Amino acid sequence: MQTDSSFTFVLFGGTGDLSMRKILPALFEAHRAGGMLADSGKIVAVARHIADRAAYIDWVNEHVKPHVSKNGVDETAWASFLDRIEFVKIDLGKPEDFTLLRDALSGRPGIRVFYLATGPSLFVPICHALASVGLNENSRIVLEKPLGYDLKSSNAINDAVGEIFAEEQIYRIDHYLGKEPVQNLLALRFGNVLFEPLWRREWVESIQITIAEELGVEARGDFYDNTGALRDMVQNHLLQLLSIVAMEPPHSMDSDSVRDEKLRVLRALKPIDPRDIGKVAVRGQYHAGVIRGSAVPAYATEPGVKQDSTTETFVAVKVEIENWRWAGVPFFLRTGKRLADRVAEIVVNFRAVPHSALGVSALRGGANRLVIRLQPNETIRLYCLAKQPGEGMNLASVHLDLAFDRFFREGQMEAYQRLLLDVINGRLALFVRRDEQEAAWRWVEPILNEWAASNKPPKPYAAGTWGPAAASAMLAQHGTCWLEEEN
Ligand code: BG6
């Protein structure tokens, strides 16, 4: 991924958690790898509480360095990385301060990238202030999630930002789209002739998509308590994964071809009737429990969380897609904090053979199953039935494994690194277009409304388990179960 295009990467929220853990480490990795960032490219950090560049560099050394390269930092590369960093002290509440930024950026070559690693309430004021000093020209703007709280607030932000930046200048990040295995899903589906003919209702019985976390809400209790798992994970990451699993083959990999196909899926999601929400969606909240041998506290006692909180930390939901390819196939989406394992995977359960001359086991749905594990380790496992050795014809489940680290010596590129390089190089395919985002909000909205109006609290589950039993019962109604419940 060689580049010679110069850039200035302006980082708002330069001392925030995201800058510290993700953005600056990702830029460092791109710098260290060599050839990915133009030599003349600069990073201009913007913050209010830091006096000057020297103080910012001290902050970067203290807070960012521990988050780069687990195997030790290459000191020469680190020193040259710091040379790329400049600093402008701005109070984001004072639009007049933006003239300082304009002066600092004046006469620089190449594209300007404004990365808003700030709370969403600052997105619109920052865009207005940038426009007031003419900085919306020749530039791209990166918006972090959460982009709004519901359809209305998301539209309000998109309308206001859209008055200042054209849609092709706006990069809405969903970091799941930057993950290598998610890219690989596209390669698997559209680079091989093997799967696509079977990838449809005639041969697929059900699909599960799980993003399970062992972590709790960490230091984000306050934010999370006002957000919940449906907004934090389902509206964006899970629906994006779903759209990649279910989309039609795009005409090409250019940004709009891919995003058009994803949008078609999102628009085809069967709207949820508010009266059915109890049947098709389960919300849970973790209580105290044990994770890997350590006791962990209940959600309601986490710092920043209201004691009587009804915020969900777990969601399982049944989704249907109203089109010819997927009519009648249930997609089960699930995510939660403080679950039994950290895993993100997609499970495609194929139908049973139409007639078995080989006994009942061949008639079991799910005998053929494809499990695409996205993290922690990227693998693809294809389950088949085979004859057990010995007398008679008894079938047993066996699997073919594809572990990518055995094939590719190079490590995976971290999601943020790929996405930041894409912004700098003007590649929009892995960013969420406004219409996709709207379609996703529109679909989750009845659930949000119903839960907000309901006086029933989320179902409790013990930390370290797989969530409320109701999530299993929902699948049982379709004659299936979550992958970890097999056998
Ligand atoms: C973020 C959510 O978008 O994704 C977090 O806000 C969540 O709550 C995180 O922990 C999960 O991402 P990953 O890459 O660790 O699976």
Side-chain angles (χ1 to χ4, degrees):
M1 218 190 278
Q2 295 285 325
T3 184
D4 54 6
S5 31
S6 194
F7 65 91
T8 308
F9 187 97
V10 182
L11 182 56
F12 289 95
T15 52
D17 199 62
L18 192 69
S19 301
M20 175 174 90
R21 288 174 197 278
K22 296 287 184 191
I23 302 172
L24 288 168
L27 288 169
F28 170 69
E29 282 306 326
H31 169 84
R32 190 190 56 79
M36 291 184 179
L37 297 177
D39 290 343
S40 57
K42 293 284 182 197
I43 300 163
V44 176
V46 173
R48 180 169 52 149
H49 296 298
I50 294 228
D52 53 21
R53 179 178 183 275
Y56 188 69
I57 295 295
D58 288 346
W59 180 87
V60 174
N61 274 320
E62 187 181 345
H63 295 278
V64 180
K65 206 171 175 186
H67 293 286
V68 304
S69 307
K70 289 173 208 107
N71 311 325
V73 183
D74 170 345
E75 291 296 340
T76 316
W78 181 252
S80 55
F81 175 66
L82 295 182
D83 288 342
R84 285 190 188 265
I85 300 182
E86 298 176 10
F87 177 77
V88 181
K89 184 176 166 66
I90 288 189
D91 182 341
L92 296 180
K94 293 190 188 152
E96 61 277 17
D97 277 10
F98 278 68
T99 51
L100 300 172
L101 185 62
R102 181 196 56 202
D103 296 347
L105 300 186
S106 121
R108 287 172 189 263
I111 194 81
R112 293 187 287 248
V113 172
F114 297 112
Y115 196 114
L116 308 197
T118 65
S121 60
L122 290 170
F123 290 173
V124 175
I126 292 175
C127 288
H128 279 296
L130 288 171
S132 72
V133 292
L135 285 176
N136 52 331
E137 305 289 327
N138 187 31
S139 58
R140 300 180 183 134
I141 186 138
V142 188
L143 304 177
E144 261 295 336
K145 68 177 268 282
L147 211 122
Y149 186 75
D150 51 18
L151 180 60
K152 193 165 162 233
S153 54
S154 155
N155 277 347
I157 294 176
N158 279 324
D159 284 346
V161 174
E163 279 174 20
I164 293 163
F165 293 94
E167 182 63 29
E168 315 79 73
Q169 292 177 284
I170 305 174
Y171 290 68
R172 297 180 192 83
I173 284 226
D174 182 314
H175 77 280
Y176 261 75
L177 293 181
K179 288 184 189 260
E180 191 87 52
V182 177
Q183 297 291 291
N184 218 352
L185 185 56
L186 292 168
L188 179 83
R189 283 198 59 197
F190 305 130
N192 296 291
V193 75
L194 220 53
F195 301 104
E196 208 43 32
L198 302 180
W199 211 261
R200 56 189 62 252
R201 66 186 302 279
E202 288 82 354
W203 304 109
V204 174
E205 191 169 74
S206 67
I207 293 187
Q208 301 171 12
I209 309 180
T210 293
I211 305 179
E213 296 185 86
E214 286 180 5
L215 287 178
V217 290
E218 306 295 289
R220 301 194 307 157
D222 191 25
F223 157 78
Y224 194 88
D225 207 33
N226 290 306
T227 305
L230 193 66
R231 290 187 179 89
D232 190 41
M233 300 293 288
V234 179
Q235 186 273 340
N236 35 64
H237 306 321
L238 275 167
L239 287 182
Q240 282 292 325
L241 287 182
L242 169 81
S243 63
I244 290 180
V245 171
M247 71 196 251
E248 295 300 316
H251 150 73
S252 78
M253 279 297 152
D254 77 51
S255 48
D256 278 335
S257 299
V258 174
R259 298 191 301 178
D260 286 347
E261 295 305 340
K262 287 198 296 156
L263 176 66
R264 281 194 185 106
V265 174
L266 294 168
R267 287 198 172 148
L269 298 182
K270 183 175 176 186
I272 295 193
D273 183 333
R275 288 166 303 187
D276 289 340
I277 284 172
K279 285 188 232 145
V280 299
V282 175
R283 63 170 170 160
Q285 188 187 86
Y286 66 81
H287 284 201
V290 176
I291 296 214
R292 297 200 186 267
S294 300
V296 296
Y299 173 71
T301 63
E302 300 270 19
V305 173
K306 291 183 282 307
Q307 273 180 4
D308 58 352
S309 170
T310 56
T311 298
E312 77 286 355
T313 60
F314 174 97
V315 177
V317 60
K318 182 184 121 183
V319 184
E320 286 180 79
I321 301 175
E322 297 186 306
N323 63 19
W324 273 45
R325 188 188 277 262
W326 294 117
V329 177
F331 285 71
F332 298 105
L333 311 187
R334 171 176 66 159
T335 185
K337 302 249 179 227
R338 291 288 191 222
L339 295 183
D341 201 359
R342 173 179 181 255
V343 64
E345 66 193 3
I346 297 162
V347 180
V348 182
N349 288 313
F350 292 95
R351 294 191 190 281
V353 291
H355 163 74
S356 172
L358 299 170
V360 283
S361 41
L363 288 171
R364 220 166 20 103
N368 289 151
R369 163 181 296 141
L370 188 68
V371 179
I372 304 163
R373 177 167 280 210
L374 308 174
Q375 59 190 36
N377 41 357
E378 186 183 6
T379 51
I380 296 185
R381 179 170 278 193
L382 179 63
Y383 288 84
C384 305
L385 290 179
K387 181 189 170 301
Q388 271 181 0
E391 209 191 350
M393 177 58 89
N394 297 318
L395 302 187
S397 179
V398 292
H399 47 79
L400 293 163
D401 275 341
L402 191 57
F404 288 91
D405 55 4
R406 280 200 231 136
F407 286 88
F408 301 112
R409 264 188 290 131
E410 273 176 41
Q412 293 190 353
M413 185 185 277
E414 214 269 328
Y416 269 91
Q417 184 179 341
R418 175 193 325 282
L419 293 173
L420 296 184
L421 288 170
D422 279 1
V423 180
I424 290 169
N425 293 304
R427 295 186 285 256
L428 271 160
L430 302 182
F431 296 85
V432 181
R433 212 169 52 191
R434 175 177 179 163
D435 45 13
E436 290 179 76
Q437 201 177 43
E438 276 183 34
W441 274 120
R442 193 163 288 121
W443 185 80
V444 297
E445 201 140 74
I447 316 180
L448 287 174
N449 293 342
E450 186 66 16
W451 285 353
S454 157
N455 48 16
K456 281 197 212 142
K459 295 188 189 322
Y461 62 96
T465 65
W466 282 102
S472 303
M474 184 168 76
L475 269 68
Q477 281 172 2
H478 292 268
T480 183
C481 61
W482 296 105
L483 185 63
E484 75 280 355
E485 295 168 338
E486 288 286 332
N487 305 320

